[in-house]
Amino acid sequence: MLNFTERAARKIAELETENATEGQRLRIFVQSGGCSGFEYGMKFDARKADDVLMEAYGSTVLIDPASLERMTG
């Protein structure tokens, strides 16, 4: 589970207005970074069938299940 502040939610909404196309949301993900381990990333993307939606203060982010496992804790 991720928590984000009201200020972060406002910034997400602002960035979404400026950068996302219709139907896209901010995706937060973890990917392999080679020998340096995992890397965190963000991009605007369309929802996929297995995505988890995290909502707070009127903003929604997408997270794939594998990334969510690496972010928990």
Side-chain angles (χ1 to χ4, degrees), residues 34-49:
C35 60
S36 62
F38 293 108
E39 297 177 350
Y40 294 91
M42 295 184 288
K43 67 178 180 177
F44 288 98
D45 198 11
R47 183 179 182 189
K48 295 179 177 65

Side-chain angles (χ1 to χ4, degrees), residues 31-65:
Q31 63 187 12
S32 177
C35 60
S36 62
F38 293 108
E39 297 177 350
Y40 294 91
M42 295 184 288
K43 67 178 180 177
F44 288 98
D45 198 11
R47 183 179 182 189
K48 295 179 177 65
D50 64 343
D51 282 338
V52 176
L53 274 65
M54 306 293 281
E55 298 177 308
Y57 304 103
S59 288
T60 303
V61 296
L62 306 171
I63 306 170
D64 65 273

Side-chain angles (χ1 to χ4, degrees), residues 1-3 54 68 71-73:
M1 178 63 106
L2 295 178
N3 296 309
M54 306 293 281
L68 185 59
M71 287 188 227
T72 301

Side-chain angles (χ1 to χ4, degrees), residues 8-21 26 42 44:
R10 284 194 311 265
K11 188 62 175 181
I12 290 167
E14 178 185 320
L15 292 170
E16 191 173 290
T17 299
E18 294 172 1
N19 300 296
T21 61
L26 183 67
M42 295 184 288
F44 288 98

